[in-house]
Amino acid sequence: MSDSSSNQPSSGAPLERAAELIETATQARLRAQAQFSQFKVGAALLSSQGQVFSGCNVENASYGLTMCAERVAIFKAISEGVTEFEAICVVADTQTLTPPCGSCRQLIWEKCGDIPVLLANLRGDSRQFTSGQLLPFPFDRSSLTS
Ligand code: THU
């Protein structure tokens, strides 16, 4: 799935600030602490008010404590009082674009709603999905009603 000649989205309108989000996620990726997997990921989360929150993965010797780049960005934003989001971008150094893991898909869906998810690598490939496409038939607060 390493598309893409022209950043054509598979769904939704192309993001106006795609290049900026990719650059922010690329820079954040350099700060990743991935000493166990060597797999560095960067994320950039665009709020509805236009702020951009970055994130990188942070690994720990107790592996299960690892936090993904996307979740770092989302938690940073929420902790700053920002709760409305427009898009998220994920960057890794892979030929096949790196999609969010299952936990991150759940969190993106629950905290950001159905937003564009822009995936990019360091070779200039990118492709846009929506969080709804990446997590069909989700469990969320609407599932908690009997
Ligand atoms: N990782 C992310 O940061 N985001 C994802 O969605 C996929 C996985 C990180 C977690 C771990 O530090 C490394 O990539 C390898 O799984």
Side-chain angles (χ1 to χ4, degrees), residues 32-128:
Q33 294 190 350
Q35 56 271 61
F36 302 102
S37 72
Q38 311 303 326
F39 193 81
K40 295 185 171 192
V41 184
L45 176 65
L46 177 64
S47 80
S48 298
Q49 293 182 327
Q51 305 117 297
V52 178
F53 294 87
S54 66
C56 63
N57 52 329
V58 180
E59 298 183 350
N60 194 279
S62 180
Y63 297 163
L65 298 183
T66 290
M67 188 57 65
C68 291
E70 300 91 316
R71 282 180 283 162
V72 169
I74 293 169
F75 290 144
K76 279 172 67 179
I78 291 174
S79 72
E80 297 293 328
V82 176
T83 56
E84 303 287 329
F85 303 106
E86 290 292 311
I88 190 165
C89 173
V90 184
V91 169
D93 185 13
T94 52
Q95 182 172 347
T96 298
L97 296 171
T98 298
C101 76
S103 297
C104 289
R105 291 178 198 213
Q106 178 72 25
L107 201 77
I108 293 168
W109 177 260
E110 286 203 47
K111 302 301 181 187
C112 307
D114 196 8
I115 59 166
V117 179
L118 178 62
L119 310 181
N121 62 18
L122 302 186
R123 308 158 202 214
D125 302 316
S126 64
R127 188 166 170 189
Q128 190 176 311

